[in-house]
Amino acid sequence: MNHATMQFDNHDEQIKYYELLLERDLDDLPRFPLPDGYRFGFYKLSALSLFRRMRETAGTAGGL
């Protein structure tokens, strides 16, 4: 993979973006169960409007 062509954005002008790549063996990480009703999920660009609404409700709309 050519890392020079990868571009990322945190989609928030209030938070400075730093490109950072950490590499580690993930097999021995501790596991913590989530409470009922919660789950982990990957970010989807289609969720951006949901994040905007949550931040507007919290009063921290920032650069979204």
Side-chain angles (χ1 to χ4, degrees):
M1 180 184 301
N2 182 356
H3 294 288
T5 62
M6 293 173 37
Q7 293 207 358
F8 300 94
D9 187 355
N10 59 11
H11 304 289
D12 188 339
E13 294 174 1
Q14 293 179 341
I15 301 173
K16 183 159 178 62
Y17 174 79
Y18 293 95
E19 186 170 337
L20 179 63
L21 176 64
L22 302 176
E23 296 181 13
R24 176 180 171 183
D25 180 11
L26 303 177
D27 293 332
D28 294 328
L29 289 178
R31 297 189 184 267
F32 299 98
L34 294 175
D36 288 341
Y38 290 86
R39 65 178 177 84
F40 285 110
F42 290 103
Y43 174 78
K44 299 175 194 167
L45 189 55
S46 62
L48 185 56
S49 62
L50 172 62
F51 289 120
R52 283 184 177 139
R53 286 197 318 262
M54 289 183 342
R55 292 194 58 180
E56 288 168 359
T57 301
T60 58
L64 293 178

